[in-house]
Amino acid sequence: MKILTFLLLLSALLFGENMIKIATYNVENLFDLKRSGHEYSEYIPFTKSNWNERTYKIKLHNTAKVIKDIDADIIGLQEIESLQALKDLRYTLKRMGLYYQYYKIANLKGTIIKVAILSKIPFVYTTEIAVQQSYRYRNILEAKFKINGEDLYLLVNHWKSKAGPESMRVVSAKKLRKRVEELGKEKNIIALGDFNSDYEEYKLFKRKRKHNDTGGITGINHILGTINYKMQAKEAKIEDGDFYNLWYDEPDKAKRFSYIYRGKKEALDNILVTKALLDNQGIDYKCGSIHTLNKPYLYKGKSLYRWQMSWRKPRKHYGRGYSDHLPVIAEFIY
Protein backbone atom coordinates (compact mmCIF):
# COMPACT_ATOMS: atom_id res chain seq x y z
CA MET A 1 0.00 0.00 0.00
CA LYS A 2 2.87 2.40 0.85
CA ILE A 3 4.53 1.65 -2.50
CA LEU A 4 1.28 2.32 -4.36
CA THR A 5 0.77 5.61 -2.53
CA PHE A 6 4.35 6.64 -3.36
CA LEU A 7 3.85 5.80 -7.04
CA LEU A 8 0.64 7.81 -7.19
CA LEU A 9 2.32 10.80 -5.60
CA LEU A 10 5.30 10.46 -7.96
CA SER A 11 2.95 10.28 -10.94
CA ALA A 12 1.19 13.44 -9.80
CA LEU A 13 4.51 15.26 -9.46
CA LEU A 14 5.85 14.11 -12.83
CA PHE A 15 2.73 14.60 -14.91
CA GLY A 16 1.09 17.45 -13.05
CA GLU A 17 -2.03 15.49 -12.16
CA ASN A 18 -4.36 17.23 -9.74
CA MET A 19 -7.32 15.62 -8.01
CA ILE A 20 -10.60 16.64 -6.42
CA LYS A 21 -12.65 14.35 -4.21
CA ILE A 22 -16.44 14.52 -4.53
CA ALA A 23 -18.88 12.73 -2.23
CA THR A 24 -22.53 12.32 -1.38
CA TYR A 25 -23.96 11.55 2.06
CA ASN A 26 -27.49 11.17 3.39
CA VAL A 27 -26.96 12.21 7.00
CA GLU A 28 -30.39 10.95 8.18
CA ASN A 29 -32.55 13.76 9.50
CA LEU A 30 -30.36 16.60 10.70
CA PHE A 31 -32.93 18.90 12.30
CA ASP A 32 -32.16 22.11 14.16
CA LEU A 33 -33.63 23.24 17.50
CA LYS A 34 -36.03 25.83 16.10
CA ARG A 35 -39.72 25.06 15.77
CA SER A 36 -40.88 25.53 12.20
CA GLY A 37 -44.16 23.67 12.50
CA HIS A 38 -43.14 21.19 9.82
CA GLU A 39 -40.86 18.84 11.78
CA TYR A 40 -41.38 15.13 12.08
CA SER A 41 -43.01 14.63 15.48
CA GLU A 42 -39.89 13.06 16.98
CA TYR A 43 -37.84 16.12 15.97
CA ILE A 44 -40.01 18.74 17.63
CA PRO A 45 -37.45 20.28 19.96
CA PHE A 46 -37.62 20.20 23.75
CA THR A 47 -40.40 17.62 24.03
CA LYS A 48 -40.53 14.09 25.44
CA SER A 49 -38.73 12.88 22.32
CA ASN A 50 -35.42 14.11 23.83
CA TRP A 51 -34.54 16.20 20.79
CA ASN A 52 -32.67 18.84 22.77
CA GLU A 53 -29.29 20.56 22.99
CA ARG A 54 -27.54 17.40 24.16
CA THR A 55 -28.82 15.07 21.43
CA TYR A 56 -28.51 17.76 18.75
CA LYS A 57 -24.85 18.33 19.61
CA ILE A 58 -24.18 14.58 19.52
CA LYS A 59 -25.88 14.31 16.13
CA LEU A 60 -23.82 17.23 14.81
CA HIS A 61 -20.59 15.76 16.20
CA ASN A 62 -21.25 12.29 14.82
CA THR A 63 -22.22 13.62 11.38
CA ALA A 64 -19.16 15.87 11.33
CA LYS A 65 -16.91 12.94 12.29
CA VAL A 66 -18.05 11.06 9.19
CA ILE A 67 -17.63 14.08 6.90
CA LYS A 68 -14.18 14.78 8.34
CA ASP A 69 -13.14 11.18 7.62
CA ILE A 70 -14.35 11.61 4.03
CA ASP A 71 -12.51 14.95 3.67
CA ALA A 72 -14.08 15.67 0.27
CA ASP A 73 -13.43 18.86 -1.64
CA ILE A 74 -17.14 19.00 -2.47
CA ILE A 75 -19.86 17.01 -0.71
CA GLY A 76 -23.56 16.85 -1.52
CA LEU A 77 -25.77 16.26 1.53
CA GLN A 78 -29.32 15.01 1.92
CA GLU A 79 -31.81 15.30 4.80
CA ILE A 80 -30.77 18.69 6.14
CA GLU A 81 -33.72 20.51 7.66
CA SER A 82 -32.59 24.12 7.40
CA LEU A 83 -29.87 26.64 6.74
CA GLN A 84 -29.34 26.84 10.50
CA ALA A 85 -28.69 23.09 10.70
CA LEU A 86 -26.22 23.36 7.80
CA LYS A 87 -24.42 26.27 9.46
CA ASP A 88 -24.23 24.39 12.76
CA LEU A 89 -22.77 21.38 10.96
CA ARG A 90 -20.26 23.59 9.18
CA TYR A 91 -19.25 25.20 12.50
CA THR A 92 -18.84 21.78 14.13
CA LEU A 93 -16.63 20.67 11.24
CA LYS A 94 -14.53 23.83 11.56
CA ARG A 95 -13.94 23.11 15.24
CA MET A 96 -12.82 19.60 14.25
CA GLY A 97 -10.30 21.01 11.79
CA LEU A 98 -12.18 20.78 8.46
CA TYR A 99 -13.27 24.10 6.99
CA TYR A 100 -15.80 24.45 4.17
CA GLN A 101 -15.79 28.09 3.13
CA TYR A 102 -18.66 27.68 0.66
CA TYR A 103 -22.09 26.24 1.42
CA LYS A 104 -25.63 26.23 0.06
CA ILE A 105 -28.97 24.61 0.88
CA ALA A 106 -31.98 24.20 -1.41
CA ASN A 107 -34.46 26.15 0.71
CA LEU A 108 -36.75 27.80 -1.85
CA LYS A 109 -39.34 25.09 -1.24
CA GLY A 110 -40.47 24.36 2.32
CA THR A 111 -39.98 20.61 2.23
CA ILE A 112 -39.32 19.04 5.63
CA ILE A 113 -35.80 17.97 4.64
CA LYS A 114 -33.57 19.38 1.92
CA VAL A 115 -30.36 18.86 -0.04
CA ALA A 116 -27.23 20.94 0.49
CA ILE A 117 -23.59 21.37 -0.54
CA LEU A 118 -20.41 21.99 1.42
CA SER A 119 -17.39 22.96 -0.67
CA LYS A 120 -13.76 24.01 -0.38
CA ILE A 121 -14.00 25.30 -3.97
CA PRO A 122 -15.90 28.53 -4.71
CA PHE A 123 -19.17 28.44 -6.61
CA VAL A 124 -19.55 30.20 -9.94
CA TYR A 125 -23.26 30.09 -9.09
CA THR A 126 -25.88 27.96 -7.37
CA THR A 127 -29.52 27.54 -8.32
CA GLU A 128 -32.45 25.30 -7.55
CA ILE A 129 -34.34 23.18 -10.04
CA ALA A 130 -38.00 22.70 -9.16
CA VAL A 131 -39.03 19.16 -10.10
CA GLN A 132 -42.71 19.90 -9.51
CA GLN A 133 -44.73 22.34 -7.42
CA SER A 134 -45.92 19.51 -5.19
CA TYR A 135 -44.16 19.21 -1.83
CA ARG A 136 -43.79 15.50 -2.50
CA TYR A 137 -40.82 16.40 -4.73
CA ARG A 138 -37.64 18.00 -3.38
CA ASN A 139 -35.79 20.57 -5.44
CA ILE A 140 -32.51 19.61 -7.11
CA LEU A 141 -29.59 21.82 -6.06
CA GLU A 142 -27.30 22.81 -8.91
CA ALA A 143 -23.83 24.29 -8.46
CA LYS A 144 -21.34 25.36 -11.10
CA PHE A 145 -17.60 25.32 -10.43
CA LYS A 146 -14.57 26.39 -12.43
CA ILE A 147 -11.81 23.76 -12.24
CA ASN A 148 -8.55 24.57 -14.01
CA GLY A 149 -10.42 26.78 -16.47
CA GLU A 150 -13.16 24.19 -17.15
CA ASP A 151 -16.80 24.25 -16.09
CA LEU A 152 -18.02 21.51 -13.76
CA TYR A 153 -21.69 21.17 -12.85
CA LEU A 154 -22.91 19.33 -9.75
CA LEU A 155 -26.57 18.37 -9.34
CA VAL A 156 -27.58 17.17 -5.85
CA ASN A 157 -30.67 14.94 -5.75
CA HIS A 158 -32.96 13.36 -3.19
CA TRP A 159 -35.71 11.50 -4.99
CA LYS A 160 -38.97 10.22 -3.55
CA SER A 161 -38.59 7.32 -1.15
CA LYS A 162 -39.98 3.84 -1.74
CA ALA A 163 -43.09 4.99 0.08
CA GLY A 164 -44.05 6.22 -3.38
CA PRO A 165 -44.23 4.36 -6.72
CA GLU A 166 -41.58 4.45 -9.46
CA SER A 167 -43.57 6.98 -11.48
CA MET A 168 -42.59 9.63 -8.92
CA ARG A 169 -38.89 8.91 -9.37
CA VAL A 170 -39.38 8.96 -13.14
CA VAL A 171 -40.66 12.54 -12.81
CA SER A 172 -37.42 13.55 -11.07
CA ALA A 173 -35.32 11.67 -13.63
CA LYS A 174 -37.01 13.44 -16.54
CA LYS A 175 -36.40 16.82 -14.94
CA LEU A 176 -32.75 15.95 -14.40
CA ARG A 177 -32.29 14.78 -17.98
CA LYS A 178 -33.98 17.93 -19.28
CA ARG A 179 -31.55 20.02 -17.25
CA VAL A 180 -28.60 18.19 -18.84
CA GLU A 181 -29.99 19.06 -22.27
CA GLU A 182 -30.32 22.72 -21.22
CA LEU A 183 -26.76 22.88 -19.89
CA GLY A 184 -25.36 21.04 -22.88
CA LYS A 185 -24.88 17.31 -23.33
CA GLU A 186 -21.14 17.81 -23.89
CA LYS A 187 -20.61 19.46 -20.47
CA ASN A 188 -18.91 18.02 -17.38
CA ILE A 189 -21.94 17.11 -15.27
CA ILE A 190 -22.11 15.05 -12.09
CA ALA A 191 -25.49 14.04 -10.68
CA LEU A 192 -25.30 12.56 -7.22
CA GLY A 193 -27.35 11.97 -4.11
CA ASP A 194 -29.94 9.65 -2.65
CA PHE A 195 -31.92 8.53 -5.68
CA ASN A 196 -33.84 5.96 -3.61
CA SER A 197 -33.00 3.71 -6.54
CA ASP A 198 -30.46 0.92 -6.76
CA TYR A 199 -27.94 1.07 -9.60
CA GLU A 200 -29.92 -1.87 -11.05
CA GLU A 201 -33.34 -0.81 -9.86
CA TYR A 202 -34.93 -2.29 -12.98
CA LYS A 203 -34.12 -5.76 -11.59
CA LEU A 204 -35.14 -5.17 -7.99
CA PHE A 205 -38.46 -3.43 -8.37
CA LYS A 206 -39.98 -6.08 -10.66
CA ARG A 207 -40.71 -8.02 -7.50
CA LYS A 208 -42.44 -5.04 -5.87
CA ARG A 209 -45.77 -4.48 -7.56
CA LYS A 210 -46.61 -1.41 -5.51
CA HIS A 211 -43.55 0.31 -6.99
CA ASN A 212 -43.83 -0.88 -10.58
CA ASP A 213 -46.53 1.38 -11.97
CA THR A 214 -44.48 2.26 -15.06
CA GLY A 215 -44.48 -0.96 -17.04
CA GLY A 216 -40.92 -1.77 -16.00
CA ILE A 217 -39.45 1.68 -16.76
CA THR A 218 -37.19 3.14 -14.06
CA GLY A 219 -35.98 6.68 -13.61
CA ILE A 220 -32.34 5.95 -12.88
CA ASN A 221 -31.83 3.17 -15.43
CA HIS A 222 -34.06 3.98 -18.39
CA ILE A 223 -34.69 7.74 -18.28
CA LEU A 224 -31.08 8.58 -17.38
CA GLY A 225 -29.70 5.87 -19.66
CA THR A 226 -27.48 4.09 -17.12
CA ILE A 227 -28.88 0.70 -18.15
CA ASN A 228 -26.86 0.92 -21.37
CA TYR A 229 -23.40 0.95 -19.75
CA LYS A 230 -22.92 -2.04 -17.45
CA MET A 231 -19.13 -2.15 -17.69
CA GLN A 232 -16.14 -0.51 -16.05
CA ALA A 233 -15.54 3.16 -16.80
CA LYS A 234 -12.53 2.69 -19.08
CA GLU A 235 -14.67 0.55 -21.39
CA ALA A 236 -17.82 2.70 -21.38
CA LYS A 237 -18.72 4.67 -24.51
CA ILE A 238 -21.46 7.03 -23.38
CA GLU A 239 -24.02 8.55 -25.71
CA ASP A 240 -24.87 12.25 -25.52
CA GLY A 241 -27.38 12.95 -22.77
CA ASP A 242 -26.94 9.63 -20.98
CA PHE A 243 -25.32 9.12 -17.60
CA TYR A 244 -22.80 6.50 -16.54
CA ASN A 245 -23.27 5.11 -13.03
CA LEU A 246 -19.89 4.89 -11.29
CA TRP A 247 -21.01 1.84 -9.31
CA TYR A 248 -20.23 -0.21 -12.43
CA ASP A 249 -16.60 0.80 -12.05
CA GLU A 250 -16.43 -1.15 -8.78
CA PRO A 251 -15.45 -4.67 -9.91
CA ASP A 252 -16.55 -6.31 -6.66
CA LYS A 253 -20.35 -6.41 -6.76
CA ALA A 254 -20.46 -7.11 -3.03
CA LYS A 255 -19.13 -3.60 -2.43
CA ARG A 256 -21.80 -1.89 -4.52
CA PHE A 257 -24.08 -0.75 -1.70
CA SER A 258 -24.76 2.22 0.54
CA TYR A 259 -27.87 1.04 2.38
CA ILE A 260 -29.06 -2.12 4.12
CA TYR A 261 -32.78 -2.88 4.40
CA ARG A 262 -33.82 -5.98 6.30
CA GLY A 263 -30.44 -7.53 5.68
CA LYS A 264 -30.43 -6.78 1.94
CA LYS A 265 -27.84 -4.41 0.52
CA GLU A 266 -28.80 -1.74 -1.99
CA ALA A 267 -27.02 1.17 -3.66
CA LEU A 268 -29.59 3.91 -3.13
CA ASP A 269 -26.86 6.57 -3.19
CA ASN A 270 -25.27 7.05 -6.59
CA ILE A 271 -22.75 9.19 -8.44
CA LEU A 272 -23.56 9.57 -12.15
CA VAL A 273 -21.41 11.28 -14.77
CA THR A 274 -21.80 12.44 -18.36
CA LYS A 275 -19.52 11.32 -21.20
CA ALA A 276 -17.29 14.42 -20.90
CA LEU A 277 -15.97 13.08 -17.58
CA LEU A 278 -14.84 9.84 -19.23
CA ASP A 279 -13.15 11.17 -22.39
CA ASN A 280 -9.57 11.51 -21.09
CA GLN A 281 -9.66 15.26 -21.68
CA GLY A 282 -9.73 18.02 -19.08
CA ILE A 283 -11.58 16.95 -15.96
CA ASP A 284 -12.03 13.17 -15.80
CA TYR A 285 -13.25 10.53 -13.40
CA LYS A 286 -10.31 8.67 -11.88
CA CYS A 287 -10.96 5.04 -12.78
CA GLY A 288 -11.18 2.72 -9.81
CA SER A 289 -11.83 5.48 -7.29
CA ILE A 290 -15.55 4.91 -6.52
CA HIS A 291 -16.01 3.66 -2.96
CA THR A 292 -17.94 4.07 0.26
CA LEU A 293 -16.56 5.27 3.56
CA ASN A 294 -16.51 1.84 5.13
CA LYS A 295 -15.35 2.56 8.67
CA PRO A 296 -16.17 -0.03 11.38
CA TYR A 297 -17.88 2.59 13.55
CA LEU A 298 -20.57 3.03 10.87
CA TYR A 299 -21.79 -0.52 11.49
CA LYS A 300 -23.66 -2.20 14.29
CA GLY A 301 -23.35 -5.91 13.71
CA LYS A 302 -24.45 -6.61 10.14
CA SER A 303 -26.52 -3.43 9.96
CA LEU A 304 -25.59 0.19 9.56
CA TYR A 305 -25.30 2.07 12.85
CA ARG A 306 -28.07 4.51 12.12
CA TRP A 307 -29.18 7.26 14.49
CA GLN A 308 -30.76 5.38 17.39
CA MET A 309 -34.32 5.97 18.55
CA SER A 310 -36.92 3.97 20.45
CA TRP A 311 -39.66 2.36 18.40
CA ARG A 312 -42.24 2.67 21.14
CA LYS A 313 -44.26 5.89 20.92
CA PRO A 314 -43.56 8.59 21.77
CA ARG A 315 -40.25 7.88 20.03
CA LYS A 316 -37.18 9.02 21.93
CA HIS A 317 -33.64 9.86 20.84
CA TYR A 318 -30.92 7.84 22.54
CA GLY A 319 -28.11 10.18 21.51
CA ARG A 320 -25.97 7.69 19.60
CA GLY A 321 -25.48 6.41 16.06
CA TYR A 322 -24.76 7.96 12.68
CA SER A 323 -26.93 7.42 9.60
CA ASP A 324 -28.84 4.70 7.77
CA HIS A 325 -26.74 5.44 4.65
CA LEU A 326 -23.04 5.16 3.87
CA PRO A 327 -21.27 8.04 2.12
CA VAL A 328 -20.25 7.40 -1.50
CA ILE A 329 -17.01 8.95 -2.77
CA ALA A 330 -15.28 9.36 -6.14
CA GLU A 331 -12.15 11.14 -7.32
CA PHE A 332 -11.67 13.27 -10.41
CA ILE A 333 -8.40 14.32 -12.02
CA TYR A 334 -7.54 17.37 -14.11
Side-chain angles (χ1 to χ4, degrees):
M1 181 60 71
K2 289 182 178 178
I3 294 173
L4 177 58
T5 302
F6 172 75
L7 290 174
L8 289 172
L9 288 171
L10 182 62
S11 174
L13 289 170
L14 291 174
F15 300 105
E17 180 180 283
N18 295 302
M19 185 194 76
I20 56 172
K21 185 188 294 184
I22 296 177
T24 179
Y25 184 34
N26 183 325
V27 304
E28 190 182 15
N29 295 330
L30 180 58
F31 282 76
D32 62 29
L33 292 178
K34 294 181 179 179
R35 288 198 182 207
S36 67
H38 300 291
E39 299 92 350
Y40 300 139
S41 59
E42 60 268 28
Y43 285 93
I44 299 173
F46 307 111
T47 63
K48 292 181 179 179
S49 69
N50 289 337
W51 189 242
N52 50 39
E53 288 186 13
R54 173 184 167 273
T55 47
Y56 181 49
K57 285 182 178 178
I58 294 171
K59 177 68 175 178
L60 285 169
H61 177 273
N62 289 8
T63 304
K65 174 181 171 64
V66 178
I67 295 173
K68 187 173 187 294
D69 281 348
I70 298 166
D71 193 19
D73 296 290
I74 306 168
I75 183 166
L77 302 171
Q78 299 85 48
E79 299 197 10
I80 306 289
E81 184 203 11
S82 65
L83 179 59
Q84 185 62 56
L86 182 64
K87 286 181 175 180
D88 290 343
L89 176 61
R90 179 173 171 265
Y91 177 71
T92 305
L93 281 161
K94 187 176 181 180
R95 293 191 65 182
M96 295 173 70
L98 180 59
Y99 180 51
Y100 284 105
Q101 184 174 354
Y102 309 98
Y103 58 98
K104 185 67 177 179
I105 187 168
N107 59 358
L108 293 181
K109 180 187 282 190
T111 51
I112 296 174
I113 48 177
K114 305 168 182 68
V115 298
I117 296 175
L118 293 172
S119 178
K120 299 176 185 178
I121 302 168
F123 304 122
V124 175
Y125 71 74
T126 60
T127 189
E128 293 183 39
I129 302 166
V131 176
Q132 270 197 358
Q133 292 299 317
S134 169
Y135 282 87
R136 297 187 300 170
Y137 297 89
R138 303 176 190 95
N139 285 359
I140 298 169
L141 180 57
E142 176 184 320
K144 180 181 177 181
F145 301 89
K146 186 73 75 172
I147 308 292
N148 200 31
E150 283 200 58
D151 294 337
L152 176 67
Y153 298 87
L154 190 76
L155 300 167
V156 185
N157 296 258
H158 188 188
W159 291 3
K160 178 62 181 176
S161 74
K162 296 295 179 69
E166 185 61 21
S167 57
M168 296 185 72
R169 288 175 286 283
V170 165
V171 169
S172 293
K174 287 181 176 178
K175 192 69 175 185
L176 180 57
R177 182 152 190 141
K178 181 181 179 183
R179 185 55 182 158
V180 172
E181 293 172 355
E182 291 170 350
L183 290 171
K185 298 175 183 178
E186 76 287 355
K187 297 292 179 63
N188 298 306
I189 302 172
I190 301 172
L192 51 69
D194 178 1
F195 292 81
N196 274 302
S197 305
D198 185 74
Y199 73 98
E200 290 190 336
E201 184 67 22
Y202 71 99
K203 291 181 180 179
L204 297 183
F205 93 135
K206 285 182 179 179
R207 302 190 295 269
K208 303 173 183 177
R209 293 183 180 179
K210 70 175 184 177
H211 293 150
N212 189 355
D213 65 340
T214 57
I217 300 298
T218 65
I220 193 168
N221 301 132
H222 297 89
I223 304 302
L224 299 184
T226 62
I227 196 170
N228 300 318
Y229 314 103
K230 295 180 283 185
M231 68 286 290
Q232 288 186 266
K234 61 185 177 182
E235 301 168 351
K237 305 298 180 185
I238 313 300
E239 296 293 326
D240 285 343
D242 284 351
F243 279 102
Y244 172 74
N245 194 323
L246 295 186
W247 279 121
Y248 283 112
D249 198 49
E250 168 54 67
D252 186 351
K253 290 184 178 182
K255 294 182 179 179
R256 297 177 185 173
F257 76 95
S258 62
Y259 185 80
I260 302 174
Y261 180 68
R262 295 181 178 176
K264 294 183 178 179
K265 297 177 178 178
E266 294 183 64
L268 300 187
D269 307 271
N270 298 265
I271 301 179
L272 315 178
V273 300
T274 52
K275 65 181 293 185
L277 291 162
L278 297 172
D279 63 2
N280 297 314
Q281 299 178 43
I283 308 169
D284 262 314
Y285 164 66
K286 183 178 179 181
C287 293
S289 69
I290 181 74
H291 65 287
T292 59
L293 183 72
N294 215 9
K295 298 284 187 179
Y297 68 79
L298 293 174
Y299 288 85
K300 188 175 184 181
K302 294 183 178 180
S303 300
L304 296 181
Y305 193 13
R306 67 181 303 174
W307 183 249
Q308 299 293 292
M309 299 182 63
S310 66
W311 288 106
R312 183 178 297 177
K313 294 184 178 181
R315 300 192 69 189
K316 293 184 178 182
H317 298 269
Y318 290 144
R320 57 181 184 268
Y322 297 88
S323 172
D324 54 349
H325 291 249
L326 291 175
V328 183
I329 305 154
E331 295 170 3
F332 295 79
I333 55 178
Y334 60 94

